[in-house]
Amino acid sequence: MMSGDKDFQGIYVALATPMTPESELNEDALRQLLDFNIDSGVDGFWVAGGGGESVLLDDDENRRIAEISAEQVAGRAKIIMHVGAPTTKRAAAMAKHASNVGVDAICCVPPFFYRRGEDEITEHYRVVAGAADLPLFVYNLPGATGVEITPGLMQKIQDRVPQLKGLKHSASTFSNVRTFAQMGLSCFIGNHRLMLPAMTVGACGCVDGPLNILPELWVGLWNAYQAGDLQTAQAAQEKCSAAYEALSVGGGFHSVIKAALSERLSVDCGNPRSPGRPMSGAQRAQIRETIKGLI
């Protein structure tokens, strides 16, 4: 059984944020990245999330990314816009803006840095969701936020936030995928390596950063599973996992994604924003050769 709403399912790219050499938003490259993934058959985008370096961007940059994404995608795929911030006021303001520019849904990490109680977290989501009046996806990313959305906390959010539609589950408690699905939530798995097993227990699809680079591989996995061809789906999962492992030649997550995208798109997608560090020339050369063998 698959969880949640069929309007939100499938392959959702955790969109990277291309940068210029001056570490500013590269609007042209962002548009090309959106088109590239749509042409590859993805179902939607998770915009300005962890893969998009959202917490390293200022609020105006996040707003501009929402505007560009809505304009460029123009209904060809779904857009779930991340509006998470440490304060409710900032997150609600970005949520309202996202709604005004025409995205399909919002997503939000829980308030981070200070440890908040469950009532504070639930109220944060209630206010943020109310500012947009769009479907809300909770971003369960405890490795970065220090806050895990457990089924018990999710139930409190579900009781008080009528806009709640689902979540991206990037926590290590894999069994909670099934629990969230049984709650009627659209539960995207946030780990590309676990896409197939997650779907067998109710996940509605996958959201992750590596999907930016080789979206057609994960689209193939999704299509095989939907067709009931488990053998092909298993082979596709192995191919997907091996492809990203081959690209992981050193450097941080964002540097690998951007270097690989630069090769795939033939457009400079820049480096991670500081304090992230760029890849070395040798690492980029290795990625260049690896990409040639994967496409």
Side-chain angles (χ1 to χ4, degrees):
M1 180 191 72
M2 185 176 295
S3 66
D5 188 335
K6 290 186 178 180
D7 282 345
F8 295 99
Q9 64 175 24
I11 302 303
Y12 276 60
V13 173
L15 194 68
T17 300
M19 299 285 185
T20 67
E22 296 75 32
S23 196
E24 301 296 332
L25 174 63
N26 187 330
E27 297 191 4
D28 289 341
L30 178 59
R31 292 180 188 276
Q32 292 183 59
L33 177 56
L34 288 162
D35 284 345
F36 164 71
N37 277 279
I38 291 171
D39 291 344
S40 298
V42 306
D43 299 286
F45 297 94
W46 185 271
V47 180
E53 302 173 274
S54 62
V55 296
L56 303 180
L57 308 174
D58 63 38
D59 293 355
D60 285 342
E61 288 175 313
N62 278 302
R63 290 187 181 98
R64 183 59 183 149
I65 290 169
E67 293 165 1
I68 292 169
S69 298
E71 178 185 301
Q72 192 70 22
V73 172
R76 294 178 293 161
K78 295 288 187 181
I79 300 172
I80 304 176
M81 181 68 199
H82 181 245
V83 299
T87 69
T88 305
K89 181 179 179 180
R90 284 176 57 200
M94 285 191 286
K96 183 176 181 179
H97 175 268
S99 178
N100 288 341
V101 302
V103 305
D104 299 287
I106 59 169
C107 58
C108 189
V109 290
F112 51 90
F113 190 82
Y114 295 108
R115 293 294 183 263
R116 300 296 182 184
E118 291 191 352
D119 183 67
E120 291 174 307
I121 294 169
T122 302
E123 180 65 7
H124 177 82
Y125 279 119
R126 188 191 68 80
V127 173
V128 171
D133 200 24
L134 289 172
L136 168 71
F137 285 80
V138 168
Y139 193 175
N140 193 13
L141 187 66
T145 65
V147 179
E148 180 162 3
I149 307 296
T150 63
L153 175 53
M154 185 63 85
Q155 185 63 62
K156 292 179 180 179
I157 298 169
Q158 194 171 34
D159 290 344
R160 288 174 56 182
V161 184
Q163 298 90 346
L164 179 67
K165 182 65 67 177
L167 72 154
K168 176 185 176 183
H169 185 60
S170 297
S172 60
T173 313
F174 182 80
S175 61
N176 283 346
V177 172
R178 181 172 183 271
T179 304
F180 291 133
Q182 290 177 325
M183 294 170 68
L185 298 171
S186 295
C187 181
F188 287 97
I189 189 68
N191 185 332
H192 67 275
R193 295 179 180 87
L194 298 177
M195 177 176 161
L196 179 57
M199 289 194 297
T200 67
V201 294
C204 65
C206 181
V207 175
D208 206 357
L211 281 58
N212 280 275
I213 309 166
L214 296 157
E216 64 271 34
L217 297 187
W218 280 272
V219 170
L221 168 54
W222 170 259
N223 289 340
Y225 186 76
Q226 293 305 301
D229 186 349
L230 188 58
Q231 183 175 0
T232 299
Q234 288 174 326
Q237 178 68 86
E238 288 299 318
K239 185 175 183 180
C240 290
S241 299
Y244 184 68
E245 288 170 9
L247 290 168
S248 300
V249 297
F253 173 79
H254 295 107
S255 62
V256 170
I257 297 291
K258 289 185 175 184
L261 279 174
S262 296
E263 296 302 324
R264 192 79 210 271
L265 299 177
S266 298
V267 174
D268 186 4
C269 291
N271 294 313
R273 179 161 284 181
S274 181
R277 302 298 299 153
M279 305 196 84
S280 69
Q283 289 169 330
R284 283 183 173 273
Q286 188 172 346
I287 282 182
R288 185 178 305 116
E289 292 305 309
T290 300
I291 284 286
K292 291 178 182 177
L294 293 173
I295 59 175

